[in-house]
Each structure stands twice: as structure tokens, then as C-alpha cells.
Amino acid sequence: MRARIIGTAAATALAAVAARDLVQKKHALLRNFPVVGHARYLLERIGPELRQYVVTSNEEERPFSRDQRTWIYASSKGENNYFGFGTDVDVEHVQGHAYVKQRTFAGALPDLTNPDAPLPSAKILGGPRGRAKAFRPASVVNISAMSFGSLSGAAITALNQGAAMAGTMHNTGEGGLSSYHRNGGDLVLQIGTSYFGCRDADGTFNLDKLKAVVAGAPVKAIEIKLSQGAKPGLGGMLPAAKVTPEIAEIRGIPAGEDCASPSRHTAFHDVDSLLDFVELLAAETGLPVGIKSAVGEMSFWEELAALMARGDRGVDFVTVDGGEGGTGAAPLIFSDSVSLPFRMGFSRVYGTFAERGLTDDLTFIGSGKLGLPENAAVAFALGVDMINVAREAMLSIGCIQAQKCHTDKCPTGIATQNPWLVRGVDAPSKATRAATYLRTLRKELLKVSGAVGVAHPGLITTADIEIMNGDYDARSLASVYGYKEGWGELGPELAREIAELVTRPAQ
């Protein structure tokens, strides 16, 4: 009897769905194939997950392959992150694959048996320009800009606590400095085009509010975001439904209203006024001040380098974001076709400053899938001093690359404000995983540096890496990106100092 009732109810439900499908006019597929046509939409919805675990090979999936995700997951859990039985990469034929050239002999190297081996930056951030609060970053690996709003409060908490455990810095993103950023990790405060957290009611920049924010948190540096790799040259939109009273208070905007960020700044309008703005912030806060940008046309960078060559004004660091960046939701054309990929964009920016002999006078930071040892090694060889990790950090705390960041339906509770989904993120345990991943990546960089025969990844040069160029042919990194002799390398004094620092016996 009970089975008959259940069967009747199921048949009635299916009949109702079929009737609805037949009369609706929105979907031709459902009108022609009622009920069964819904399978297509289900498969479309779970397609990324199916491709990851069923369809694709270990090296096919994008943005991160299965092997790459497996390495990050294992590293974050402190598990065995080795791979057996050889590589899945078609090493003789893959175009653009990087190969590191190991050396037979080496000088003094760091102690790789120390799980907490330090890996500081080779440069003093803000030192060349004499900033009052200049410092040497303790880690060359740091957490990139991801705002509260785009990520959940639990995810931000986990990342900040993980940063504190691993001794790294955590970039706030342009959404303002929230309570979730105040869990012990040192901060880089990002200022975007809407000046969230340091703005007047009309959206203009307010210096006094900035100083109050800096004074009340462990802010180590300020980053002015000109653009980002996920959506270069495009302002953001936070819909009214996501502008909660909490987010509204942090950002200094009305609650329950659409929040549209402009594509460009109003506090300055050209390179000259940008440098005035940089010097104002540095003078008023004492902090190192830098810029973040994706790379498009080069006249901006050429003018910036030319004005900095005079010596009276300048940024303390430059964060170059690759066009392959992806924590920000964006139209497809911006994700796929606006701004240069990291290696190409960074090499052009670095070369612009190298032509004027300025590379030792500022810190270069790279972002854009650099949280993998191979990509990071290439970045350091090209002249990067530090790397920022974003999606890799998200993966370390449980992201499964569902690619639903823009829908507010992230199944792991990381890139959503949905309370039911967010409850799945246990911040303390995820913080441990983030810290373990960050430490592991640093250790991997020390390993690959040692294989090259140098004590620090900043000492890897373009001569130490070759790029595959079709079947059985390879080119040096320098020739691929047009580097001149000495480009990508630290000055002799900086190189000597960092080598001594990382090989010095622990006290």
C-alpha cells in the first residue's frame, strides 16, 4: 500500500513536470523532450566536477590540472606530495614547458631538514626610498588580494590565521579591512578605485580614514590597485543582495544597494599625480607604498620608470598580475583576452625598469598561478622578488575548482556569502592547512634552488631555465623574453647578503 502511494505521488510529480515542460516557451529542448531534457541542465551544472574527476587526464584540466590540485591538497595536509612512475607531461613535445637546469656542484645551501627554514625577501621593502617603516618581508610567498565579500568571512579568517602561522603577509583585497583580517596575520592594505574603508560618502578618497585604518591593524604596506588580471580595465559590481550591513559598514557604502566600482581612480589622473599620491601616503603613514596592475599598453610603465629615474619620487614595489589571474568574476572576453599572461607581461615591465638601472631600487611581486613550484621558479628567474598566491591558497583551504565563484553558490563555502554554505568552512583547521601549504611551497622553492646550486630562489637566473620550443628544441629563458645580460639578477651586494642570511646557522 505504501509503495503504491509513493509510486502514485512520483508519477503525479513527473506528469506535472511534463505538463509544465510542454507548455513553457523558454526552453525548446524541454518542450520537445519533457522531463528527460532536464538531464542536460543537470549535466551542464555539474560539468566541471565531472570533467575533473572522470573525463580529463591528469594534465588536461584548467585552470589547474588534476596533478596540480593533488599537489596542493597533499601539501596543505602535510601528506606525501611526491608522484611516482614518471611524469604525465609529454616532456619532448609540450610547447612552452619550462625545464630547470640542475648543477653538479654548489656553494653553501640552507638546511632543508628544518621545516621552518626561513625564506625572506632579498630586498628591504621601502628601504631604497627611506620609508620610516621599511622592513624585510619574512617570506617570499604571501597571500594575494581577495576581498571579504568575494570570499566568505570564514575563508578570510582561515587565510589570515594561516598567514600568521606561516609568517607570511595577507593582502586585504580592495573590499576593505574587515574583522576577519584581524586574526594575527600581517597585512598589505589594498586601495582600489572605490577606496573602500577610506572614502567619503561620495566615493572620494579620505586620507584621515586611511590613517585610522592603518593605525588600528597590523598593516605593513599599502598597495594601490590599478587593475587586476581577472578583469583588467573593468570596474567591479557587488549586487545589492550581497551588500549586507556588515559589508556596507566595512566598505563605507549604503547597505542593500548595488555597489559599482569605477574602472579608474579619481585621486589621481596620470603617472605624475599617481607618484604624488604614492608619496603622500608614504609620508603620512610611514609605510612602503606600491602599485598592482595587469599589463597592457606599455606607455604607462615607460613613463613611470622615466619619472622614477629622477630619484625624487617612486613606488616601493610593483605587483604584476598575469592575465590568467582568476579570483575576480569577469566577462569571458576579459578572462580570456584582455591583458598579457604573467611571464610576458612581467618581462616587459621588468625590462622597462632594467633599461634605467632601477631594478635593485624596488621590489617586484608576481601573481598569476605562481603558487606552483615550476611557475614560481620561472618567475624568480625573470626577476620577481616575491610571489602572491590566491587560487592556490583557496585550494589549500578546500576549494574544489567548481568554478562557481561568480554565482554565490560555491559548494565549499569559500567564495560565497550564503550562511548555509559558509558553515562548512571550519576556520581553525583550514588555517592549519593554509599554513602547511605556504610552508611547503617555500620548502619546495628551497629544494629547486638547491638543485640549481644557489641558496635562494631570487638567485635563480634566466640561464638556469630553458623553455621547450617544439619537438626536441629548447630556448633559454633569456632569449624567449628578450632579456639582456644581467637582467633578472640581483645586484652583487643584494645577492651576497641574501645568500648569507639564508645559510646562516640557526641561533
Side-chain angles (χ1 to χ4, degrees):
M1 183 68 177
R2 190 174 187 181
R4 183 180 298 175
I5 294 173
I6 294 174
T8 301
T12 302
L14 288 174
V17 172
R20 178 186 177 279
D21 290 345
L22 287 169
V23 299
Q24 61 84 34
K25 299 179 179 180
K26 187 176 181 180
H27 302 290
L29 179 68
L30 297 181
R31 295 191 75 184
N32 293 337
F33 301 95
V35 182
V36 295
H38 287 278
R40 180 263 181 190
Y41 298 101
L42 175 63
L43 290 172
E44 181 181 48
R45 182 172 298 176
I46 64 175
E49 289 89 343
L50 285 176
R51 289 193 296 273
Q52 287 179 36
Y53 301 112
V54 179
V55 179
T56 58
S57 74
N58 290 342
E59 281 298 310
E60 283 183 329
E61 188 69 18
R62 294 292 182 269
F64 291 86
S65 72
R66 187 180 303 157
D67 277 349
Q68 290 170 338
R69 296 195 313 275
T70 297
W71 182 84
I72 293 171
Y73 293 145
S75 296
S76 69
K77 297 172 186 176
E79 297 175 350
N80 184 348
N81 61 4
Y82 282 35
F83 287 76
F85 213 65
T87 178
D88 288 328
V89 179
D90 187 0
V91 295
E92 294 176 325
H93 305 101
V94 173
Q95 181 84 15
H97 192 69
Y99 292 93
V100 179
K101 298 154 66 175
Q102 86 280 3
R103 284 193 175 94
T104 304
F105 302 107
L109 297 175
D111 178 12
L112 291 180
T113 63
N114 179 9
D116 298 317
L119 191 55
S121 172
K123 296 175 181 174
I124 304 295
L125 192 62
R129 298 210 56 77
R131 305 305 188 197
K133 298 179 182 178
F135 69 103
R136 184 190 298 276
S139 173
V140 299
V141 179
N142 298 285
I143 298 176
S144 193
M146 294 176 283
S147 301
F148 169 55
S150 61
L151 298 193
S152 65
I156 295 293
T157 298
L159 292 174
N160 192 258
Q161 289 178 349
M165 294 178 194
T168 73
M169 293 186 293
H170 181 193
N171 193 304
T172 63
E174 65 177 311
L177 201 160
S178 70
S179 60
Y180 308 106
H181 290 102
R182 302 172 186 269
N183 282 278
D186 285 337
L187 300 173
V188 175
L189 178 66
Q190 188 180 87
I191 300 175
T193 56
S194 284
Y195 309 110
F196 293 128
C198 54
R199 59 184 263 149
D200 290 322
D202 61 358
T204 55
F205 174 71
N206 185 305
L207 178 61
D208 290 334
K209 289 184 177 180
L210 172 70
K211 291 166 68 175
V213 169
V214 168
V219 176
K220 303 287 285 185
I222 295 172
E223 180 179 81
I224 302 167
K225 193 196 87 167
L226 305 179
S227 62
Q228 68 184 93
K231 47 187 175 183
L234 184 69
M237 168 62 77
L238 195 65
K242 294 186 71 174
V243 184
T244 64
E246 182 182 28
I247 290 175
E249 182 179 0
I250 293 166
R251 297 194 176 198
I253 57 176
E257 297 181 12
D258 286 343
C259 175
S261 299
S263 61
R264 290 166 177 83
H265 282 265
T266 56
F268 49 87
H269 59 277
D270 57 14
V271 179
D272 189 61
S273 56
L274 165 63
L275 287 178
D276 285 342
F277 187 65
V278 167
E279 294 299 333
L280 171 67
L281 300 189
E284 292 291 332
T285 66
L287 298 172
V289 180
I291 58 173
K292 174 182 179 176
S293 181
V295 181
E297 57 86 26
M298 290 301 297
S299 61
F300 163 78
W301 300 101
E302 291 162 359
E303 185 176 355
L304 177 62
L307 290 177
M308 285 183 59
R310 299 177 183 176
D312 58 330
R313 297 174 301 165
V315 298
D316 297 296
F317 64 94
V318 169
T319 303
V320 174
D321 201 13
E324 61 271 56
T327 57
L332 184 62
I333 186 172
F334 282 83
S335 294
D336 288 353
S337 303
V338 182
S339 86
L340 295 173
F342 172 76
R343 294 179 186 178
M344 186 177 294
F346 179 81
S347 60
R348 293 185 183 182
V349 170
Y350 183 92
T352 302
F353 288 97
E355 289 282 9
R356 294 171 173 80
L358 299 174
T359 55
D360 279 353
D361 296 332
L362 72 161
T363 294
F364 291 96
I365 304 172
S367 62
K369 288 187 71 174
L370 301 186
L372 300 163
E374 175 208 328
N375 292 345
V378 173
F380 279 105
L382 288 172
V384 159
D385 299 299
M386 299 193 295
I387 60 171
N388 284 346
V389 296
R391 286 172 292 180
E392 300 92 333
M394 291 170 65
L395 288 166
S396 77
I397 63 171
C399 168
I400 61 170
Q401 193 171 276
Q403 297 179 294
K404 291 181 170 61
C405 311
H406 59 297
T407 67
D408 201 38
K409 296 178 181 178
C410 168
T412 59
I414 293 170
T416 178
Q417 300 302 311
N418 183 308
W420 184 80
L421 294 171
V422 172
R423 67 178 293 278
V425 181
D426 179 62
S429 64
K430 298 302 185 184
T432 300
R433 289 192 179 185
T436 305
Y437 159 71
L438 294 166
R439 292 191 189 105
T440 302
L441 178 56
R442 287 200 302 251
K443 191 169 183 178
E444 293 283 310
L445 289 173
L446 282 174
K447 286 180 181 178
V448 75
S449 301
V452 173
V454 296
H456 187 278
L459 300 174
I460 299 174
T461 73
T462 54
D464 297 318
I465 296 178
E466 293 192 3
I467 304 294
M468 285 299 295
N469 185 36
D471 290 0
Y472 312 110
D473 183 33
R475 297 171 58 194
S476 72
L477 196 62
S479 65
V480 171
Y481 294 105
Y483 270 35
K484 297 180 180 179
E485 183 71 25
W487 284 16
E489 300 178 23
L490 297 169
E493 184 60 25
L494 287 174
R496 181 195 61 77
E497 184 177 317
I498 193 60
E500 291 180 353
L501 190 60
V502 296
T503 56
R504 184 181 302 157
Q507 300 298 319

